[in-house]
């Protein structure tokens, strides 16, 4: 019995080791302080670890190997399920320190998700989700002008963030600014292909 259990454990470890890590990198510029950037993604297997990392504030090297310059705005990240329920949010979870401001104000989320469809949203601090539809619903204002951070440091409109995890599929970006537009309900957003409002780049990497 012990040999059988050991063999089964070894098989599971082998399958885990051979799983493909999927990473998508997004970069672009917000149109204004209240802009938001949305992505949709699916998780194919229960108990899959998914990570979201922003790089725009302090800079660094993103998942596709691009060097991101220090100087973007103070970012926040949110994860929602397919019904628009907020699962987790983060403001300053990254430990990367900006050389120009001395602050580590990039966002980082690491969460285990089950099979299903999800949305992630990037905003500027302090624009928080309050209620309603993810796009047309109520979000608080960022309480800043021209991307100045909470310490009155001048920042830019540039953002950069990655999503990575095993068992990710159908990862796509939907850019959105605060200009009123007709948009689908959250469950329909996942069916859209990449739609951009502003400059966005994305690239899939596998390891």
């Amino acid at each position: 019995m012990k040999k059988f259990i050991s063999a089964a454990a070894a098989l599971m470890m082998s399958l885990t080791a051979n799983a493909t890590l999927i990473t998508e990198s997004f970069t672009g510029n917000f149109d204004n302080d209240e802009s938001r950037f949305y992505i949709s993604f699916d998780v194919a297997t229960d108990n899959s670890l998914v990570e979201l990392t922003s790089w725009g504030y302090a800079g660094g090297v993103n998942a596709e190997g691009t060097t991101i310059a220090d100087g973007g705005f103070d970012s926040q990240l949110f994860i929602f399920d397919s019904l628009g329920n907020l699962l987790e949010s983060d403001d300053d979870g990254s430990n990367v320190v900006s050389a120009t401001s001395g602050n580590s104000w990039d966002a980082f989320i690491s969460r285990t998700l089950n099979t299903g469809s999800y949305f992630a949203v990037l905003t500027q601090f302090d624009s928080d989700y309050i209620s309603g539809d993810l796009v047309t619903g109520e979000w608080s204002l960022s309480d800043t002008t021209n991307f100045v951070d909470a310490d009155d440091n001048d920042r830019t409109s540039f953002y950069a963030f990655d999503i990575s995890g095993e068992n990710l599929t159908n990862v796509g970006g939907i850019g959105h600014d605060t200009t009123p537009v007709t948009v689908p309900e959250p469950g329909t957003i996942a069916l859209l292909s990449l739609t951009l409002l502003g400059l966005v780049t994305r690239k899939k990497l596998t390891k």
Side-chain angles (χ1 to χ4, degrees), residues 119 133-136 174 181-192:
F119 305 98
D133 181 90
L134 298 189
V135 178
T136 60
I174 305 169
V181 293
T182 300
V183 295
E185 293 298 316
T188 308
I189 296 177
L191 302 178
L192 296 178

Side-chain angles (χ1 to χ4, degrees), residues 88-110:
E88 188 167 346
S89 63
D90 182 74
D91 177 20
D92 301 327
S94 171
N95 60 5
V96 181
V97 178
S98 166
T100 56
S101 74
N103 298 316
S104 53
W105 286 352
D106 273 306
F108 175 75
I109 293 176
S110 179

Side-chain angles (χ1 to χ4, degrees), residues 44-116:
T45 304
D46 284 350
N47 298 315
S48 294
L49 182 65
V50 176
E51 293 186 342
L52 295 168
T53 307
S54 73
W55 297 98
Y57 188 85
V61 179
N62 71 2
E64 68 175 19
T66 300
T67 298
I68 305 299
D70 183 323
F73 59 84
D74 180 1
S75 58
Q76 299 186 142
L77 287 167
F78 303 80
I79 294 180
F80 299 85
D81 66 16
S82 61
L83 298 178
N85 298 308
L86 178 62
L87 302 179
E88 188 167 346
S89 63
D90 182 74
D91 177 20
D92 301 327
S94 171
N95 60 5
V96 181
V97 178
S98 166
T100 56
S101 74
N103 298 316
S104 53
W105 286 352
D106 273 306
F108 175 75
I109 293 176
S110 179
R111 187 179 180 93
T112 299
L113 298 174
N114 289 329
T115 303

Side-chain angles (χ1 to χ4, degrees), residues 5 25-27 32-33 47 55 62 72 97 99 124 126 158 166:
I5 294 174
S25 294
F26 299 85
T27 61
N32 56 63
D33 292 291
N47 298 315
W55 297 98
N62 71 2
V97 178
Q124 181 178 209
D126 189 24
F158 180 76
E166 296 174 355

Side-chain angles (χ1 to χ4, degrees), residues 20 36 70 144 194 198:
T20 300
R36 299 183 293 274
D70 183 323
T144 188
L194 183 64

